[in-house]
Amino acid sequence: MDKDRKSEIHITNNFNAPIGQHIDHVDTINFRMDGDGTFHFGMVNSICTEKTANDGGKRVDSESLSRALKGCKAFIWGNAAYGVVFCVCRDLYHLANNASNFERLLAEAGIEIPDGTINNAMNRNPWMKLHIDKWEQQGVMERVLKLRDSFSQEMEKG
């Protein structure tokens, strides 16, 4: 499978933790498969995936998100702007492609937006489904590019 291609699989399983704790529900399970076919699973409460060489090990959690957003709040024009932030996290920091989980992460960071805001923004702006590096060629507004770049820079300061 192409390493840039992502797919989502919904599986219902029960997991038993090694210490005997029974886990009935997990929102997100991240896994990767090595070239030899070995699967590596990780249950996570946040919506981050593992560290990679490309992102310097940066992880998106409520603290890093809050700090970065404070640094670029002048570029947030409304709730739909958080869709841009979601796309940056998805494309640069390997955040799970799940807008609802991202809205919950925003809430943990003290930012409340109506449920469905990010999905609505993505539906109204099809370019958001593309990688953020392709936005210029789609003719997106300058304010979008400024927010994208400002947020990325603030995350790198982390």
Side-chain angles (χ1 to χ4, degrees):
M1 178 186 286
D2 183 324
K3 70 178 180 179
D4 292 331
R5 192 170 143 218
K6 296 179 181 178
S7 62
E8 226 174 88
I9 300 172
H10 297 280
I11 300 173
T12 302
N13 276 323
N14 288 325
F15 292 89
N16 290 307
I19 57 172
Q21 179 183 16
H22 184 77
I23 301 169
D24 289 320
H25 176 78
V26 175
D27 285 330
T28 304
I29 294 179
N30 294 309
F31 69 93
R32 66 181 167 81
M33 185 171 77
D34 290 341
D36 66 358
T38 304
F39 281 92
H40 301 271
F41 290 90
M43 291 183 294
V44 294
N45 291 328
S46 66
I47 52 177
C48 316
T49 57
E50 69 182 52
K51 298 179 182 185
T52 68
N54 294 341
D55 64 15
K58 300 277 183 201
R59 297 183 67 102
V60 180
D61 56 23
S62 59
E63 276 184 38
S64 63
L65 185 61
S66 177
R67 184 199 44 74
L69 285 169
K70 284 178 186 170
C72 63
K73 66 182 171 185
F75 298 103
I76 303 287
W77 63 86
N79 286 342
Y82 292 108
V84 173
V85 173
F86 168 71
C87 293
V88 171
C89 293
R90 174 197 68 201
D91 295 346
L92 296 184
Y93 301 105
H94 312 290
L95 191 75
N97 192 9
N98 186 320
S100 298
N101 277 347
F102 184 72
E103 288 173 355
R104 287 189 284 278
L105 186 63
L106 282 173
E108 287 176 25
I111 300 163
E112 297 283 341
I113 62 174
D115 291 345
T117 297
I118 293 178
N119 277 326
N120 288 337
M122 293 183 77
N123 287 332
R124 286 189 312 271
N125 302 290
W127 47 265
M128 286 183 151
K129 292 181 173 84
L130 301 173
H131 192 281
I132 62 171
D133 291 340
K134 297 182 179 183
W135 288 359
E136 284 94 345
Q137 64 196 33
Q138 297 297 313
V140 301
M141 291 180 279
E142 189 65 27
R143 70 182 183 181
V144 170
L145 301 176
K146 286 181 180 180
L147 175 56
R148 175 198 66 184
D149 297 342
S150 176
F151 180 75
S152 299
Q153 290 168 358
E154 291 297 325
M155 283 295 289
E156 290 305 312
K157 290 179 184 177

